[in-house]
Amino acid sequence: MNKYLWVSVWAVLSLGACSHIKPVVKLAPDYRQPQVAVPETFRYDTPEQGEGIQAASLGWQDYFADPRLHALIELALKNNTDLRTAALNVEQVRAQYAIARTAEVPNLGANGSATRRGNDYGAASNYSIGLGVSNFELDLWGRVRNASDAALQQYFATAAAKDAAHLSLIAAVAKAHFNEIYADASLKLAERVLAGRQETYRLTRLKHKAGVVSAIPLREQEALIEAAKNNLATAAKGREQARNALALLIAQPLPANLPKPLALDKQYKIKQLPAGLSSQLLLNRPDIRAAEYQLRQANANIGVARAALFPTIGLTGSIGLASGQLGQLLQGNGKNWSFGGVVSVPIFDWGRNRANIEAVKIAQEKTVVAYEAAVRAAFRDVSDALVARAALQSQYQSNIAQRNAHNERLRLVKLRYKHGAASSLDLLDGERSSHNAESGVLATQLSLLENMADLYKALGGGLKRHTRDDAPTTEAPPPTAVDKGQPLGKPLQLKRNRKNVAE
């Protein structure tokens, strides 16, 4: 090749280096984390009972104790349609980011042509092949780079949203599992109540035959037996509905080989999960991270909108070979090259570009509001879970004492009734009180277990399968942007006395 062709080759290939030139002016605003007034610690926390434990670093297998629940969570993480949709959303945005990045480097294309023209004096053929770059934009104002960064932040936000869906699924499966055990315990309680009333009816009928009691207590016992049968049918329905809810979460029928569930009071390995400092919550909650990534994306979009006010410079270049005969095309006798540029300057757009800037600024302000709302909602979630935990623990202890008292009273009433010292009304009242106390214990126990699952989720727990570093994991590693230096889940800190909106 002659020196002109070498110059054209260098010009085309050097276009790729233009993507690394810093913009002439910085049009995207600097990111400033919004100021949100939050307390440093949470009320009703119990850090002295769980120092060094953070929910986000505590694997769900190390928090939940029931092997049956472990198996259900594994199935849900594999099959749940909502989580699969969230994962596909991440992959879709990843592809969109890859598309956006291609604008930072020249797109090299190959072309070839064959033509034959003629007139009254004869005909001629022309053949050509070449490589070329078409309208590569010099990113002097950072438009392309900001658009790429906006796509990257959207990718991070989508990945964080997938993490939030993951946490929600863990908590939902745990609560559905607790409801299944509760429904099964309620069914067994209903069976015991029915058996007890049938035994009482047998004794009442014997007394009626002996003339000790009238037919009125007998009819009362018959009505109570039918009421117990109705409660039994309701409990059976509740158990089946609880199993249906689990089947929906794991997206398949419940396997027959699942381990037997543990009792309600043996579902957790850690009874008192500490909330820790408020700043840790900002690190661990994926919904807060997603809101911050969206704010960074809004900042980059402002840079894109502002760049539209400035001229756009596009470069084109090509090199190739041409010949009048196809057989001599690759011999290099006919070389051609071209290099040029196009400048586009906005003059009259009737305020469209400035209106677009105003629109993206408003969108940024909305993301600030969304970030503040996410932080406040997160703190409310944790605060509500902590206060509920304290109240439910106290309520549960009271229910236990109340149940024991009513059961002992019922035992004594049954002895008195058997020997004719108590009436059927005394027995009826004792059975009803004992049954209500047993039901109250189960209901409070279920609420306490659900509260512990909600607190684990609210603190950002559930992404890890194990705490131990050498344990297997079911989760893929978080995505990172190596060239951007912004890994997903980068530390966030509470910043005070700073403006809420980037300027």
Side-chain angles (χ1 to χ4, degrees), residues 179-193:
N179 273 274
E180 182 195 18
I181 302 175
Y182 164 79
D184 189 65
S186 297
L187 179 61
K188 292 178 180 177
L189 175 60
E191 291 172 346
R192 292 198 304 270
V193 170

Side-chain angles (χ1 to χ4, degrees), residues 158-201:
T158 308
K162 186 253 185 184
D163 289 344
H166 183 120
L167 266 59
S168 296
L169 178 61
I170 296 289
V173 172
K175 293 165 73 172
H177 168 72
F178 300 150
N179 273 274
E180 182 195 18
I181 302 175
Y182 164 79
D184 189 65
S186 297
L187 179 61
K188 292 178 180 177
L189 175 60
E191 291 172 346
R192 292 198 304 270
V193 170
L194 176 60
R197 289 181 177 176
Q198 288 173 337
E199 175 63 18
T200 302
Y201 175 73

Side-chain angles (χ1 to χ4, degrees), residues 484-498:
K484 297 290 183 178
Q486 294 177 331
L488 181 63
K490 62 178 292 293
L492 313 178
Q493 297 180 358
L494 289 174
K495 298 181 180 179
R496 306 180 185 277
N497 301 322
R498 306 190 72 167

Side-chain angles (χ1 to χ4, degrees), residues 196-279:
R197 289 181 177 176
Q198 288 173 337
E199 175 63 18
T200 302
Y201 175 73
R202 186 186 68 81
L203 295 175
T204 304
R205 187 171 58 179
L206 291 175
K207 289 184 177 182
H208 175 65
K209 287 182 179 180
V212 177
V213 298
S214 66
I216 295 177
L218 199 62
R219 302 289 86 82
E220 289 176 348
Q221 292 296 333
E222 290 174 353
L224 290 176
I225 288 176
E226 296 305 318
K229 290 180 179 179
N230 180 59
N231 292 337
L232 181 62
T234 301
K237 180 188 71 173
R239 185 179 65 174
E240 293 306 312
Q241 289 178 339
R243 290 177 175 175
N244 290 340
L246 270 174
L248 179 63
L249 288 171
I250 66 175
Q252 69 173 68
L254 291 179
N257 60 347
L258 285 174
K260 292 185 177 180
L262 300 179
L264 283 175
D265 58 351
K266 297 181 180 179
Q267 289 297 315
Y268 286 96
K269 297 180 180 179
I270 297 175
K271 302 295 184 180
Q272 293 290 336
L273 184 65
L277 299 177
S278 59
S279 58

Side-chain angles (χ1 to χ4, degrees), residues 38-40 42 54-56 167 275-289 371 374-383 386 454-461 492-494:
V38 293
E40 286 297 326
F42 296 96
Q54 289 191 22
L167 266 59
L277 299 177
S278 59
S279 58
Q280 294 172 348
L281 186 61
L282 296 183
L283 290 170
N284 300 331
R285 290 270 299 214
D287 55 341
I288 295 179
R289 287 189 277 119
Y371 174 85
V375 172
R376 292 193 176 96
F379 277 83
R380 179 177 178 179
D381 288 345
V382 176
S383 298
L386 289 174
D454 287 335
L455 180 60
Y456 184 56
K457 169 193 168 186
L459 294 173
L492 313 178
Q493 297 180 358
L494 289 174

